[in-house]
Structure formats: C-alpha cells, structure tokens
Amino acid sequence: MAVTMYDYVAKLLSAYESTTGKKISKIADGMEIPISNYYLYRNGKGNPTAKTINKIVEAIQLDHPEVIAETSAWYLRQLNLEGNGGDSSD
C-alpha cells in the first residue's frame, strides 16, 4: 500500500475538522485556501501545490500538532498490518 499525498492530505484535513469542530469555511479561510479547493483536497481530489500543502501543515501544526502525529501513526499502522499480512497478533 503506497500512501498518496492526496490521501494523506484528505485524512489530515478530516482529522483536523473532527478535532477542532470548526466550520469548513473557517478552516479554509484560515489556511488561505479557496473553499472549493479545500473540498477537493479533503475528498482526495484536486492537486494541491507544495505551497498549499505547506499552508495546510503549518496551520495544523500551530493549532493541533497532535493531528499530524495521529494521522501519520494511523498510516504507519496500516502499512504495518499490510506488511504482516493483516495479522495483528504477536
């Protein structure tokens, strides 16, 4: 399983929304991203530039850095489960 940046950004934005409880329009505005593009990124579509990804990560790091750690840890667990053939017993 290769994690695409589209998937990672989408999961990151969804996790941030859940953590903050903020309205999507407020989040997009705070990240200086047009709301239409924000919806695309959140749904794993669109094509964010590196500059946009930096805006997203910076906003999350400043407000709730644990969201980045938790999202990254979730993906690492998925990769580990896949590498172990889905057997999580040790």
Side-chain angles (χ1 to χ4, degrees), residues 6 15 22-23 27 30 41 43-44 47 50 54 59 64 69 76 83 88-89:
Y6 304 121
K22 292 180 182 177
K23 292 183 178 185
I27 294 172
Y41 305 148
N43 292 319
N47 190 14
N54 284 340
H64 284 280
L76 288 173
S88 61
S89 62

Side-chain angles (χ1 to χ4, degrees), residues 10-68:
K11 185 137 185 81
L12 200 56
L13 291 172
S14 292
Y16 184 68
E17 288 173 23
S18 295
T19 299
T20 64
K22 292 180 182 177
K23 292 183 178 185
I24 293 170
S25 58
K26 185 170 175 90
I27 294 172
D29 187 49
M31 293 179 178
E32 299 176 352
I33 299 171
I35 195 160
S36 58
N37 289 351
Y38 180 91
Y39 276 110
L40 290 172
Y41 305 148
R42 193 189 84 196
N43 292 319
K45 301 189 180 357
N47 190 14
T49 63
K51 185 176 181 177
T52 299
I53 294 169
N54 284 340
K55 287 180 183 182
I56 291 168
V57 171
E58 181 180 4
I60 295 172
Q61 282 177 338
L62 292 174
D63 194 24
H64 284 280
E66 72 278 7
V67 170
I68 294 170

